[in-house]
Amino acid sequence: MADTVRTYLLLAWTWLRASAQYPGPLITMAVGAFAINMLDVVAIWVIFEHTPSLAGFGLAEVMFLYGTSSLSFAVSDMLFGNLDRLSQHIRTGSFDAMLIRPASAFVQMAVDRFSVHRFGRITQAVIVLAIALPRLDLPWSRAWAVPPMILCGIVIFSSLFALAGAAQFLLTDAPEVANAFTYGGSTLTQYPLSVYGRDLVRGVTFVVPLAFVNWQPALFVLDRPDPLGLPYWLRLVSPLAALALAAVAALAWRAGVRRYRSTGS
């Protein structure tokens, strides 16, 4: 594990040094990522200009949900978001080169073209969360759960990116389908799940565990009843859901690599 982390950091630093040779475009992309994601906050602000609550949740609570979801997704996207572009490497044959190098193909794929512009979205999410948390005035008896919530969200989104990559060993046009669960999952968890239909909520709770990114633990942090009447213990099982999905993702990736038989060209 230590060697894997060391390899990731070394490759990331190499890509950062390479991208730093062109500081102008790098800064522009980072600022652009920050500004584009701020439009999401503007959309939430516009909603609350016309209503005092959204599915019973106030502005600070929705911003808390947005901040935790965005931060978890932004970190996982920075670390492993490149996995959903595996099909490009399969088609060009460059994934073959990764397999014969003395480093994990998973790490090489994840860190490929690592760039500082990805920090723009993280900065935006941190700012939103820093504004929302003081307005909630959370007691320490519940505030302690915020860091584990974000960590579990990172693991869940990272696992979904890994599953998206593994799916491309079977379906080379899978990125768009996978994006529905990664980028689509990020958008879905930015709002109270009570605004969606019951069947969708059950699906993202018991099938694809997106509800454990921030919704279920947020009900504990905010001391709110579950609008859909789901069991109370679900609020406390985000770590188990994250570990289970990570295990599935690891098995799927290994199975995909074993099945891979080169590009054929």
Side-chain angles (χ1 to χ4, degrees), residues 168-250:
Q168 292 173 58
F169 287 112
L170 294 174
L171 306 170
T172 55
D173 293 323
E176 295 304 322
V177 176
N179 286 348
F181 297 96
T182 52
Y183 293 91
S186 172
T187 302
L188 182 140
T189 53
Q190 290 172 2
Y191 297 91
L193 291 190
S194 50
V195 303
Y196 306 108
R198 289 179 176 269
D199 290 339
L200 175 61
V201 175
R202 291 191 183 96
V204 298
T205 301
F206 301 109
V207 182
V208 182
L210 288 168
F212 298 101
V213 169
N214 64 346
W215 172 244
Q216 286 295 335
L219 292 176
F220 171 80
V221 171
L222 300 174
D223 196 23
R224 297 291 298 268
D226 191 322
L228 301 179
L230 294 177
Y232 184 90
W233 57 266
L234 287 174
R235 307 177 186 195
L236 306 175
V237 299
S238 286
L240 295 178
L243 288 175
L245 189 62
V248 171

Side-chain angles (χ1 to χ4, degrees), residues 16-246:
L16 285 174
R17 289 184 60 186
S19 60
Q21 302 303 310
Y22 304 93
L26 194 66
I27 295 173
T28 301
M29 287 190 294
V31 173
F34 179 90
I36 289 174
N37 285 285
M38 282 303 295
L39 294 177
D40 294 335
V41 179
V42 173
I44 294 175
W45 179 78
V46 169
I47 291 173
F48 279 92
E49 280 292 298
H50 296 84
T51 181
S53 66
L54 184 63
F57 288 78
L59 176 59
E61 293 172 318
V62 174
M63 295 302 287
F64 172 69
L65 290 171
Y66 174 90
T68 51
S69 171
S70 294
L71 182 56
S72 296
F73 180 80
V75 173
S76 63
D77 184 37
M78 178 187 70
L79 296 176
F80 302 107
N82 195 61
L83 290 170
D84 68 358
R85 290 184 283 275
L86 175 62
S87 60
Q88 299 175 17
H89 292 271
I90 291 176
R91 283 195 293 266
T92 61
S94 56
F95 185 70
D96 292 16
M98 295 183 183
L99 290 174
I100 62 175
R101 292 171 184 158
S104 166
F106 181 86
V107 170
Q108 293 181 69
M109 188 65 229
V111 79
D112 187 53
R113 301 190 180 279
F114 189 94
S115 177
V116 74
H117 80 272
R118 299 182 181 186
F119 289 101
R121 183 166 191 166
I122 294 178
T123 303
Q124 182 261 355
V126 169
I127 291 174
V128 171
L129 198 55
I131 294 173
L133 281 173
R135 296 175 181 270
L136 295 173
D137 194 24
L138 298 172
W140 283 109
S141 60
R142 288 184 278 118
W144 66 267
V146 175
M149 176 200 311
I150 295 172
L151 179 60
C152 290
I154 292 171
V155 174
I156 290 172
F157 278 126
S158 299
S159 300
L160 289 176
F161 276 119
L163 285 169
Q168 292 173 58
F169 287 112
L170 294 174
L171 306 170
T172 55
D173 293 323
E176 295 304 322
V177 176
N179 286 348
F181 297 96
T182 52
Y183 293 91
S186 172
T187 302
L188 182 140
T189 53
Q190 290 172 2
Y191 297 91
L193 291 190
S194 50
V195 303
Y196 306 108
R198 289 179 176 269
D199 290 339
L200 175 61
V201 175
R202 291 191 183 96
V204 298
T205 301
F206 301 109
V207 182
V208 182
L210 288 168
F212 298 101
V213 169
N214 64 346
W215 172 244
Q216 286 295 335
L219 292 176
F220 171 80
V221 171
L222 300 174
D223 196 23
R224 297 291 298 268
D226 191 322
L228 301 179
L230 294 177
Y232 184 90
W233 57 266
L234 287 174
R235 307 177 186 195
L236 306 175
V237 299
S238 286
L240 295 178
L243 288 175
L245 189 62

